[in-house]
Amino acid sequence: MYTHEDLAALQAQSLKMQGFIRRQTFSPEHEKTLRRFSSWEVAELIFRINQSTFRGRLAADPDLPGGEVEEDGRQRWFSLTEINELRRKMKINRTSLMPKRPAGKRAIRVAISNFKGGAGKSTVALHMAHAAALDGYRVLVVDFDPQATLTHSMGLHDVSEDLTVWGIIARDLVRETDRMNAMPQAAESGTALPQRRLPASVRDLGLGDLRVTDFIRPTAWPTIDIVPSCANAAFVEFASAQYRHLNPDWSFFAAVSRYLDALSADAYDLILFDCPPAIGYQSMNAVFAADVLYIPSGPGYWEYDSTTSFIGQLSEALEDLAHGFDGTFPAGKMRLPKAFLDLRFLMTRYEPGNELHRAMLEAFRKVFGDTVCNEPIEMTRAVEQSGRFLSSVYEIDYRTMTRETWRRARASFDRAYEEFRACFLDAWAKMEDEQ
């Protein structure tokens, strides 16, 4: 027989071991750091130019960052900050190396979501964020999942639940309730609208006074920030149900959208949501805030079945929450019924030599048509290793394995990212200017 006391004892035992686990996973300083990138990587894999052209530009312009040369080698190694300075200052054939970014539009928002755990949501979010950062984009990732895999992969551990998505939702409850209470009296009767009262247990948290930036943390990547998650944020599902009871008029599903609307339009280029494997208060906030919905799925039948159930239940939830609205919404910039600028299914853990995997990919294409990504993410040894060490293939130094093994894994994610980039650039083109 096991009770809550036994579970608490197991948690305490696990907490004692966290330091050891971190030492096995991250750098000796117990903090995740971003490696430098070789001149070969910068030229051929990041800037997509010839190495001799890159070396010639460096030699011709002493004002360009020169990187560092290791004691036992001749190759230069560059930090991401130096890479971005090179990107700003260099032109190839009079063409800028800066990434495409439409003027006057806010960051594009992409939710990565599905029912099934292990479908690769966090892996996809991590790799797309890192690939976009190497491509020159400024990225904000929002971890909606209390498992906090993405948060841990970004090197964050000591996270207060107040500064997670739960805190954003609770903050929104306070602010929306105050907004509703401050509304003018009814025009016809002259009577005041009913006052919605929040208990001290909610107001005394002080979340309503937090600034937008209080929830955002830096990462080891200089152009990637994160709204982190933690295990204690799991109670958001229970708390949100209580909050809806406290203020039935509160549009809980728009809390994160309103929060992101308060960010400067040019603060970021890309905002990625890593969603929990369920449809609940957090995941619904993610999909309502998203412009694009990316649905990863493994190559098995049960994963296909789970994906089918997910889109069915998501459809019902979106319809229910949009009931009674016709293009207008009382607070925020959201329009209802909810519409995505694009929708994609992405197969993960794919093995090209596996007959079953090939059959499942064809089945996905037959069922979901053009919404299925052309480039599945292949399962390789480097991908397995990156998952084990909570790192992306972009963070792994290719000298720790054969270059061909590393390059094959990176090539799969590069192809998936190029398709992902085309998707969000197309969505940007569809986005209305006033957003």
Side-chain angles (χ1 to χ4, degrees):
M1 301 289 286
Y2 293 91
T3 68
H4 63 90
E5 294 177 346
D6 298 301
L7 295 175
L10 289 171
Q11 186 208 24
Q13 179 179 337
S14 177
L15 289 173
K16 290 179 181 179
M17 293 294 293
Q18 278 188 344
F20 170 78
I21 299 299
R22 291 181 198 177
R23 286 192 294 274
Q24 304 304 307
T25 305
F26 298 123
S27 63
E29 301 84 21
H30 304 176
E31 294 183 2
K32 193 166 189 178
T33 57
L34 180 60
R35 70 177 179 91
R36 286 180 168 267
F37 299 85
S38 69
S39 56
W40 165 71
E41 292 176 271
V42 176
E44 295 198 1
L45 302 181
I46 297 178
F47 291 163
R48 308 293 176 89
I49 61 177
N50 187 277
Q51 284 192 72
S52 60
T53 300
F54 181 57
R55 288 194 296 266
R57 292 299 178 89
L58 292 179
D61 190 348
D63 292 332
L64 293 175
E68 294 181 357
V69 179
E70 297 183 350
E71 293 181 2
D72 58 348
R74 299 170 54 190
Q75 189 160 214
R76 293 186 177 275
W77 296 78
F78 298 82
S79 69
L80 182 55
T81 299
E82 290 172 323
I83 292 170
N84 283 328
E85 186 177 351
L86 289 167
R87 192 192 307 274
R88 288 191 295 271
K89 293 182 176 180
M90 286 178 59
K91 287 187 177 181
I92 302 299
N93 297 326
R94 299 183 180 180
T95 301
S96 172
L97 295 175
M98 295 296 290
K100 294 181 179 179
R101 207 306 188 184
K105 295 187 179 182
R106 61 160 173 79
I108 202 78
R109 306 171 188 171
V110 182
I112 300 173
S113 186
N114 202 340
F115 262 166
K116 199 175 186 305
K121 294 183 293 295
S122 298
T123 298
V124 171
L126 181 70
H127 281 82
M128 295 303 112
H130 288 173
L134 289 177
D135 204 18
Y137 289 105
R138 299 159 301 159
V139 183
L140 174 66
V141 293
V142 184
D143 194 349
F144 285 81
D145 192 346
Q147 296 179 84
T149 301
L150 184 60
T151 297
H152 296 161
S153 297
M154 288 290 181
L156 281 73
H157 292 276
D158 299 322
V159 176
S160 167
E161 61 267 22
D162 290 352
L163 300 179
T164 66
V165 169
W166 171 76
I168 290 174
I169 293 176
R171 172 183 180 270
D172 187 76
L173 168 68
V174 174
R175 293 192 166 211
E176 278 297 287
T177 300
D178 290 345
R179 182 188 66 80
M180 293 175 187
N181 287 339
M183 290 176 67
Q185 294 182 339
E188 292 185 4
S189 64
T191 58
L193 296 173
Q195 293 289 295
R196 303 154 182 88
R197 300 187 182 278
L198 299 179
S201 60
V202 175
R203 287 200 175 275
D204 290 352
L205 292 173
L207 297 176
D209 298 325
L210 291 178
R211 300 164 299 178
V212 171
T213 53
D214 289 335
F215 296 92
I216 298 174
R217 299 270 297 273
T219 71
W221 290 66
T223 51
I224 300 179
D225 291 336
I226 185 172
V227 175
S229 185
C230 66
N232 287 348
F235 69 80
V236 68
E237 297 301 319
F238 302 99
S240 298
Q242 178 191 15
Y243 295 163
R244 289 187 69 188
H245 177 72
L246 295 174
N247 185 352
D249 297 321
W250 171 53
S251 51
F252 74 92
F253 53 88
V256 172
S257 181
R258 281 189 287 262
Y259 166 79
L260 295 176
D261 287 341
L263 291 173
S264 172
D266 61 353
Y268 300 98
D269 305 311
L270 177 65
I271 301 178
L272 284 170
F273 306 149
D274 184 23
C275 301
I279 291 181
Y281 291 96
Q282 295 192 79
S283 56
M284 291 311 298
N285 261 275
V287 297
F288 267 103
D291 305 304
V292 177
L293 182 61
Y294 241 68
I295 305 175
S297 176
Y301 171 77
W302 296 115
E303 291 162 307
Y304 162 77
D305 188 59
S306 176
T307 298
T308 301
S309 298
F310 168 72
I311 58 176
Q313 293 190 33
L314 180 60
S315 170
E316 293 177 2
L318 291 174
E319 181 181 11
D320 290 344
L321 291 174
H323 182 70
F325 297 103
D326 185 19
T328 60
F329 191 66
K333 301 178 181 179
M334 181 187 299
R335 293 180 62 85
L336 296 177
K338 174 63 185 178
F340 300 102
L341 296 176
D342 208 339
L343 166 69
R344 297 296 175 93
F345 294 87
L346 173 65
M347 182 161 288
T348 60
R349 305 196 325 273
Y350 179 72
E351 298 174 11
N354 188 310
E355 184 177 350
L356 174 60
H357 290 192
R358 293 198 305 270
M360 286 306 301
L361 180 57
E362 287 306 311
F364 265 80
R365 288 170 174 164
K366 184 174 183 179
V367 174
F368 301 120
D370 293 339
T371 60
V372 178
C373 294
N374 293 320
E375 300 292 344
I377 292 176
E378 297 182 15
M379 174 57 72
T380 67
R381 187 171 71 85
V383 173
E384 290 179 320
Q385 182 171 323
S386 70
R388 185 165 68 250
F389 291 99
L390 297 178
S391 300
S392 75
V393 296
Y394 300 105
E395 294 177 299
I396 296 175
D397 191 324
Y398 58 80
R399 294 170 295 181
T400 62
M401 60 186 71
T402 66
R403 184 180 291 197
E404 182 57 34
T405 298
W406 176 86
R407 192 163 188 172
R408 180 187 166 199
R410 167 157 183 163
S412 177
F413 279 106
D414 282 348
R415 292 191 299 269
Y417 169 70
E418 288 174 7
E419 194 169 3
F420 176 73
R421 178 180 58 196
C423 174
F424 72 71
L425 287 175
D426 183 61
W428 242 334
K430 298 175 183 175
M431 183 186 291
E432 297 178 6
D433 290 337
E434 62 267 25
Q435 288 186 296

